[in-house]
Amino acid sequence: MSPSQEIRIGDHTIEIDNLDKVFFPGNEVTKGRLLDYYRAISDVMLPHLEDRPLTLQRFPDGIGGEGFYQKKVSDHFPGWIGRTSVMLKGEDKKQEQLFCNDAATLAYLVGQGTIAFHIWQSRRDKLHHPDRLVFDLDPPDDNFEPVRKAARELKRLLESVELTPFVMTTGSRGLHVVTPLDRSHNFEAVRTFAKDIANLLTGKYPDRYTTDIRKDKRGDRLFLDYLHNAYGQNSIAPYSVRPLKSAPVATPLDWDELNNGKLHAQSYTLKNILRRMGQKKDPWTSFKRHARSLDTPRRLLEDI
């Protein structure tokens, strides 16, 4: 393996080792290439990470080795790494959890073997008040057409209650449909609203959709997962790589891109994502501008 290398990013010098270690066997994607991607995408990705507690998915030896999830800041992490005090759900204690607001932190965490970044739906200054409402559309098999259909129906429903939905591939199996919120409601209210939206769709199309968390009860129905909308829960960050063979990337889309019959959850990978970003801007650049309260949407939903 290559010796360690020092890189300078902003005010910080970071030492990263084993840049030629293969992280994605079969694709021959190395740790160095993964680092190059995250450095190249940082200006686009960081606004989606900013001030959000993170869960890291780390694979120090690549996806062919043992991986693990990490929330708590490691003792050996440098003092300039962002950290915020988080009350653990169901426990009367706090822990220091990571957040990532700059390119140096992003690079350092990749140097620690981080492949995937999972984010809270809230930010550290108002941890109990989410600014995102997310639905994870999880299909029963590899047929992506039901996922596209569910996303469009969810979009129509959210727009009918005056919310603005955004869509992205997860880099795994399905799509995420996310709508921005103004943080005027707590997680309990947001989760209840998301559950009611999901139940409305499953009630209208009981043969297509389910909210049953038990896989053996879903049959061939798509799972409308609203459960990420809770304190301490997280979902994959936009532009995060996933620890899967093809090195897929969770990629924000324009809604009309769902019309592409070749689109699937892993359409964008380390091989093609930067070419895409060179041809079009981030479809979620206006995300924050559409944030709003759930007061009116709640009233409108009750009238449907």
Side-chain angles (χ1 to χ4, degrees):
M1 292 298 171
S2 63
S4 63
Q5 177 179 331
E6 288 189 349
I7 58 175
R8 183 75 178 176
I9 303 178
D11 296 329
H12 305 291
T13 299
I14 304 162
E15 186 174 303
I16 299 180
D17 60 8
N18 297 330
L19 291 175
D20 61 353
K21 179 180 286 187
V22 174
F23 264 31
F24 293 84
N27 262 339
E28 300 309 305
V29 173
T30 63
K31 181 180 184 179
R33 185 172 175 189
L34 181 68
L35 176 64
D36 289 343
Y37 164 71
Y38 275 118
R39 292 189 69 183
I41 203 72
S42 62
D43 285 348
V44 177
M45 185 179 183
L46 285 170
H48 301 293
L49 300 180
E50 184 180 7
D51 283 341
R52 298 185 187 279
L54 297 179
T55 296
L56 309 177
Q57 200 170 359
R58 292 177 59 189
F59 291 81
D61 294 312
I63 66 172
E66 184 177 352
F68 58 94
Y69 290 93
Q70 177 176 351
K71 298 180 180 181
K72 188 177 179 181
V73 180
S74 295
D75 291 339
H76 69 272
F77 283 8
W80 53 264
I81 293 292
R83 56 201 76 197
T84 188
S85 184
V86 171
M87 180 66 72
L88 298 178
K89 189 173 181 179
E91 302 182 42
D92 188 24
K93 65 178 181 179
K94 293 183 177 181
Q95 73 176 14
E96 293 295 299
Q97 195 153 331
L98 296 152
F99 66 90
C100 176
N101 288 5
D102 55 63
T105 299
L106 193 62
Y108 177 83
L109 295 175
V110 175
Q112 295 296 303
T114 301
I115 291 179
F117 294 81
H118 301 260
I119 56 174
W120 279 36
Q121 315 311 328
S122 59
R123 299 182 188 262
R124 61 193 180 105
D125 61 331
K126 292 188 74 172
L127 285 174
H128 292 273
H129 290 75
D131 63 350
R132 293 165 34 109
L133 185 156
V134 58
F135 294 94
D136 183 4
L137 310 184
D138 186 11
D141 52 38
D142 293 331
N143 183 4
F144 202 66
E145 183 56 35
V147 186
R148 276 195 290 267
K149 182 178 290 187
R152 292 188 186 105
E153 288 172 347
L154 190 53
K155 176 179 184 285
R156 285 192 290 269
L157 179 52
L158 291 169
E159 288 177 338
S160 74
V161 296
E162 299 183 3
L163 291 171
T164 302
F166 292 76
V167 66
M168 81 171 190
T169 64
T170 62
S172 180
R173 289 168 44 84
L175 293 169
H176 281 179
V177 175
V178 187
T179 189
L181 304 175
D182 69 357
R183 307 202 294 179
S184 58
H185 297 275
N186 63 20
F187 269 110
E188 182 178 359
V190 171
R191 183 185 172 103
T192 299
F193 180 85
K195 180 179 180 180
D196 291 345
I197 288 282
N199 284 341
L200 185 59
L201 276 183
T202 56
K204 187 175 182 180
Y205 303 108
D207 57 331
R208 294 189 203 169
Y209 309 129
T210 180
T211 57
D212 202 318
I213 195 171
R214 295 165 297 180
K215 290 186 177 180
D216 61 334
K217 299 293 184 180
R218 297 177 197 169
D220 59 358
R221 295 174 295 174
L222 180 144
F223 178 39
L224 285 175
D225 185 357
Y226 62 88
L227 300 174
H228 296 288
N229 300 290
Y231 179 85
Q233 295 295 309
N234 48 71
S235 58
I236 194 67
Y239 300 105
S240 176
V241 181
R242 305 303 295 265
L244 300 170
K245 182 178 179 180
S246 64
V249 176
T251 305
L253 305 173
D254 288 315
W255 278 101
D256 60 8
E257 292 184 87
L258 293 189
N259 298 330
N260 180 357
K262 295 181 179 180
L263 179 76
H264 58 84
Q266 298 184 28
S267 284
Y268 296 103
T269 69
L270 285 184
K271 288 184 177 180
N272 59 19
I273 184 65
L274 292 180
R275 182 168 65 250
R276 168 185 170 84
M277 298 308 296
Q279 295 169 346
K280 66 180 299 169
K281 67 178 184 179
D282 177 15
W284 286 24
T285 53
S286 67
F287 188 87
K288 286 185 179 180
R289 295 201 298 270
H290 293 280
R292 63 166 306 163
S293 164
L294 287 179
D295 289 339
T296 296
R298 165 56 70 188
R299 290 195 298 270
L300 293 171
L301 184 61
E302 290 173 354
D303 291 337
I304 295 178

